[in-house]
Amino acid sequence: MFNLILFGPPGSGKGTQSQKIVDSYKVEHISTGDLLRSEVKNETALGLEAKEYMDNGSLVPDEVVIGMISSKIDATPDARGFIFDGFPRTKEQAVALDKLLQLKETSITTVLSLQVSEDELTKRLLERGATSGRSDDNEEVITKRIKEYHAKTAIVASHYDAQGKLVNIKGEGSIDDIFKSLSAEIDKYLQPA
Ligand code: B4P
């Protein structure tokens, strides 16, 4: 099974590129950000807990996110592959994902890491904030999210680099050009469906 992690800081384009990958390769998309926002919108117990963290730019606790991922993988047993978007975001989540996939006799195929400068990230998220209505797209929270990325998430890249699975991809330029670079890597393992 093809299991891709699309990795990068907030605003690097993980959600944008995931959509294009799903359209082209017909893999299952698992976005922890989307799953959490849906729980918040539906005012579930999980959503009420997550909202506080998301609104101030913190990461939601690992156990909440890991439980959510596990049920999502189980829900689609016939998937051609998975694209993990915004997960794992801590070393603990990465270790848990490796174990979860091992139980299913599969593993991460490749980790594509989008490289975008901090100025560009802030610019994109502020622009999105002007139209998205997202509570975490304002200057103060964006700064906190980028800090959280450096403190807790950047280390996930080293975890997969040590396994020889990390590939850096330039994440600035046109959305189509970035998709071409990502596709060139994915094509090594899976052809468009
Ligand atoms: P996420 O929903 O994962 O969102 P993100 O990091 O903000 O954005 P992404 O990288 O997907 O960027 P996008 O394509 O939208 O996280 C939100 C919050 O949820 C976190 O802060 C955290 O609290 C919580 N959370 C999620 N997962 C978690 C986990 N595993 N553990 C704990 N907590 C978790 O692009 C951004 C903007 O840039 C868009 O407006 C897009 O149009 C634009 N853009 C994209 N590509 C572009 C390009 N090439 N050029 C110009 N603009 C571009």
Side-chain angles (χ1 to χ4, degrees):
M1 186 185 286
F2 176 76
N3 297 304
L4 165 71
I5 294 175
L6 196 55
F7 186 76
S12 54
K14 302 181 295 286
T16 305
Q17 295 295 336
S18 289
Q19 214 39 64
K20 295 180 76 71
I21 295 170
V22 168
D23 289 347
S24 186
Y25 294 90
K26 309 288 182 273
V27 287
E28 284 294 321
H29 180 207
I30 301 190
S31 157
T32 39
D34 288 351
L35 290 171
L36 288 167
R37 278 185 289 277
S38 150
E39 298 279 348
V40 170
K41 192 170 164 226
N42 294 326
E43 298 184 336
T44 64
L46 193 156
L48 292 175
E49 186 185 351
K51 186 176 186 319
E52 223 174 287
Y53 294 94
M54 295 172 81
D55 281 355
N56 77 25
S58 302
L59 291 179
V60 174
D62 287 333
E63 57 276 15
V64 174
V65 181
I66 292 164
M68 229 171 49
I69 287 278
S70 178
S71 8
K72 184 76 186 171
I73 295 177
D74 287 341
T76 43
D78 298 327
R80 197 174 184 230
F82 287 98
I83 166 164
F84 296 97
D85 158 10
F87 179 88
R89 256 183 161 96
T90 63
K91 176 82 186 279
E92 289 70 21
Q93 292 181 16
V95 170
L97 179 62
D98 288 350
K99 279 195 192 140
L100 213 63
L101 294 179
Q102 201 179 5
L103 282 175
K104 295 176 195 307
E105 297 178 340
T106 180
S107 63
I108 290 300
T109 312
T110 187
V111 180
L112 303 180
S113 172
L114 293 167
Q115 311 287 306
V116 180
S117 73
E118 248 163 65
D119 283 353
E120 173 72 12
L121 295 175
T122 309
K123 183 175 145 256
R124 286 184 191 177
L125 292 173
L126 283 174
E127 274 171 20
R128 185 173 68 186
T131 53
S132 68
R134 264 176 66 161
S135 56
D136 57 352
D137 279 347
N138 60 72
E139 197 147 12
E140 190 191 342
V141 177
I142 291 167
T143 305
K144 174 82 186 291
R145 287 164 65 195
I146 295 176
K147 256 197 192 155
E148 282 278 273
Y149 172 79
H150 288 298
K152 297 180 184 160
T153 306
I155 194 176
V156 171
S158 322
H159 175 82
Y160 288 106
D161 198 19
Q163 297 180 16
K165 293 179 175 174
L166 184 74
V167 181
N168 290 327
I169 302 283
K170 187 175 161 219
E172 291 187 41
S174 81
I175 289 173
D176 283 344
D177 282 347
I178 298 165
F179 178 63
K180 272 188 203 142
S181 307
L182 292 167
S183 298
E185 288 300 321
I186 298 172
D187 287 349
K188 294 178 185 172
Y189 308 97
L190 188 74
Q191 296 312 303

